[in-house]
Amino acid sequence: MSFVLDQVRRIDAQLDRVQLADLPSANSPTAARASPFQPGEAPKPSTRLLALQTSIRGLTPVGSDRRALLEPYQIGLYLSALSEQPEAPLAVAEDDRPSKEPYESELEWLLVSKATTQTYGYVLSKILNHTVAIADDLWYWDEILGSRRYSALYGLQISPVQFWHWSQTIWEDVKARGGDFSITNARRDATDSIGKRWQEFYGLVRQVVRERSVQEIQHQVSSPVTRLRGEIRRKQRALKEIRLRNANALGVLLGEGLANESVHGQGLASASSTNVHHKWKATVARNVALMEAVLVKANDDETSVDKFNGAVGELTDDDPLYGVEIYDQSDVEGGVSIRPQAVAERLTRVLSLALPQYNASVSAAVQKHGKPSRLVRYWLPVTIGILSSSTILRLLVNRQAEIVHWIEDFGGTIIDFWSNWVVEPTRKVIKTIRHDEGSEVSIMSKRSLQGDRDSLERMVVDFAVENPAISTGTSAPLTELQIADIRLKPVLKAYEHDLASPFVGTIRGNLIRTLLIQIQKTKVDVEVAMGGIDALLKSQELVFGFVGLTPGLLVTYFGFHYLRSNLSEKRGSRTARKQGKMMRQLRNIDRILYNSEQTEFRELHYKDQGLLLCEVHVLREAVERTMPNQIFKEFSEDVEELCDVRTGVERQKATAARIRWAYARYLS
């Protein structure tokens, strides 16, 4: 909801409260005397009253914000209910309706008042939007002037337009010197050959170009970029003049119009005040004249900003609608010296003439002095793209298979990386957490050590049974108890005995056998050591699982972070620009409040009041999506207080300071 819409809703609520409170009821003595119906007969509303009520409901700002403020053609359609001409869309012919009822005049004034309120809001909205748009153009020129590189780029952008204007100037000069070589003149002198005439034309063009080149060299001593920057400054001055004039128009409408009456008007605080609705009718009539005068002077380029208020005052002083007088309702119908149809006709003239002329005038000035169109700004990259499009298309067609293969390889690489280095290690970690035996980390198999130990035991027992003298010192067979004891002891005595006589032991065969047994024992010892390492690895399985998963996760994280940072860079830059815009608006508000001159009542002048409204409007639109609904509602209340000029500059400064610290979280 914008500031203008808030004003329209407030004024409309004042209208309903002030005027509807004094409408004569059906039981009033006046209505009873004027009623054509007999007692006990149910009265039926006339077609005229139904048309007025329908138009009043249509002009009431209800529903969504987009539909609350009507377009000029809609306002004119509802105003046609007041027209006495049969061709009006909602008019009721005199023959089709009975005599005027007591409260019909009040309904007519209510219709005119609501239509004036809608027109007032629409005019405020148009002037405000034009002023804000001009501020954007001024910021664009400031950016161009801030860099000579941007100035040179701007010169390149407008070079086709300048060449076209230069060609037109040359052509007009050639035609002024008698160089009219049209087909009609060519037929006039059939004896002259076409080649001779074209030679004369070419010579005349060369002469004009040479003379203009000499004149330009004499008058233009500075560089092209410097001349271009001077032209930009002239455009800036013209735009600033238009912006200040529009801001002054805003200030006059806010300070003298319906918005001021709805808040500070005398006698409007209570609906039971004497002649309140009569005063309001006069206010509505004066506001119509004021809107027309403001729009007329806003279109006048000869009216300077310093003389704007006086020029508007001269127009309104001579306007009979602005000097409408208030009478007692018993003396004059409606309590005012003018009929509502006259106000409606004047309001229709504002909608159909003054407002379109204002829009056309401001649009033409902005088009002349504002930033160039998108076609002018982007013709160079568009031209390069069109010229190189055939080459790019031919390159894509010729290497279509290679490009598709590259895309497939790139996609396959990403899928394989995700599957082998992220998904599979994650699955193993999950199995480790769930203590899945198939996921245990080990250097050797679980049954390898047990098999080697059983083999060593059998070899030692068989050797001891075959050689009892080595293990027991006797040749008697070994008992079961002795065999069990041998299973627990290493067999090294035979190896040590045969090692003393290696050749004899080798020939006899015990040395080789004991050597093999010793090798098996060494193998078993190694496997026991490896079993200890396996136990250590099993205790750290989860650690090794995360170590294997970490590279894939890191590569994935940094890849997504890089893509997200690149994709969100524009979003972040937009957010930074938005925050910078809000801070710039706060700075401009402070500059207006602290640097502007004050009236004798310590209030802002109309021009500064309009500039303040523009800055506050932009700030409110920028901050609307960054605040929660409840906080934005409170912010809107503070902003409304900031725009209330009648409170005085000191209170406005205090409000601006409160906004700065209370909503600093959303404004910076």
Side-chain angles (χ1 to χ4, degrees), residues 417-418 422 549-567:
F417 171 80
W418 178 258
V422 178
L549 180 61
T550 299
L553 291 179
L554 288 178
V555 173
T556 304
Y557 171 76
F558 285 112
F560 277 107
H561 180 72
Y562 176 76
L563 293 176
R564 185 179 62 180
S565 61
N566 286 340
L567 293 177

Side-chain angles (χ1 to χ4, degrees), residues 567-591:
L567 293 177
S568 63
E569 183 177 356
K570 293 183 179 180
R571 187 186 310 165
S573 61
R574 286 196 299 266
T575 303
R577 287 196 299 268
K578 192 173 184 178
Q579 292 178 347
K581 185 177 184 179
M582 290 187 291
M583 294 302 297
R584 187 168 64 249
Q585 301 309 128
L586 289 175
R587 169 186 173 273
N588 294 340
I589 291 173
D590 282 348
R591 285 174 58 88

Side-chain angles (χ1 to χ4, degrees), residues 427-441 446 535 537-542:
R427 186 182 294 117
K428 291 181 179 180
V429 170
I430 294 175
K431 289 183 178 180
T432 301
I433 295 174
R434 298 175 61 183
H435 200 63
D436 189 356
E437 295 181 357
S439 65
E440 292 182 354
V441 181
K446 297 180 179 180
L537 292 177
K538 290 177 182 178
S539 65
Q540 302 295 326
E541 273 185 298
L542 193 59

